[in-house]
Amino acid sequence: MNFDISDFINNLPDQITRQDLGTSIYNEIRAAENMKVGYLDQATENPEFYVNISRQLDTYIHHLKVFHNKVAPAPIAIDQELYKNEQPDLDQITKLMERIEESERNRHIKD
């Protein structure tokens, strides 16, 4: 699994219904969440790896949830409804991520 939202979007079929798109995003979120659980044994065996992979997966899941909330029609699964309820938190996380990225860009300019 690639953790790049752009790759996920580029690999979607050219013609897809909103319902199928919502389902595809939902399935990708579930797969990423299951992958993160699969790496739990690394938390104690290789903590640096686990922190790194968890960060990548969390960012990827965040982007997928934001995308889902923008394009998906009515939820088809109970946990999809939760994505809508998470939107204020997702927006706040997005703003924080943008501030961090801006800070990193500014730091590279000064270096």
Side-chain angles (χ1 to χ4, degrees), residues 16-101:
I16 188 168
T17 65
R18 288 175 73 85
Q19 190 70 39
D20 289 343
L21 180 56
T23 300
S24 294
I25 298 167
Y26 170 77
N27 290 337
E28 186 74 0
I29 291 168
R30 299 296 295 163
E33 289 171 338
N34 289 334
M35 184 176 279
K36 186 174 177 184
V37 170
Y39 283 117
L40 272 175
D41 62 328
Q42 295 295 314
T44 54
E45 294 175 24
N46 191 348
E48 187 175 322
F49 168 80
Y50 183 73
V51 167
N52 185 32
I53 198 77
S54 291
R55 185 177 300 127
Q56 291 177 45
L57 282 163
D58 287 342
T59 300
Y60 184 57
I61 291 167
H62 167 80
H63 288 234
L64 287 168
K65 286 181 177 181
V66 169
F67 184 37
H68 179 274
N69 287 350
K70 289 182 179 180
V71 299
I76 23 181
I78 292 172
D79 53 350
Q80 279 182 285
E81 184 64 38
L82 294 175
Y83 303 159
K84 296 286 184 191
N85 295 337
E86 290 179 8
Q87 192 58 51
D89 294 331
L90 292 171
D91 291 341
Q92 188 175 10
I93 292 168
T94 299
K95 288 177 186 171
L96 178 59
M97 290 170 63
E98 289 169 352
R99 286 179 38 213
I100 291 170
E101 289 169 3

Side-chain angles (χ1 to χ4, degrees), residues 1-20:
M1 175 181 276
N2 191 351
F3 310 132
D4 186 342
I5 190 70
S6 298
D7 287 346
F8 174 76
I9 292 169
N10 291 335
N11 288 323
L12 290 169
D14 289 336
Q15 298 197 0
I16 188 168
T17 65
R18 288 175 73 85
Q19 190 70 39
D20 289 343

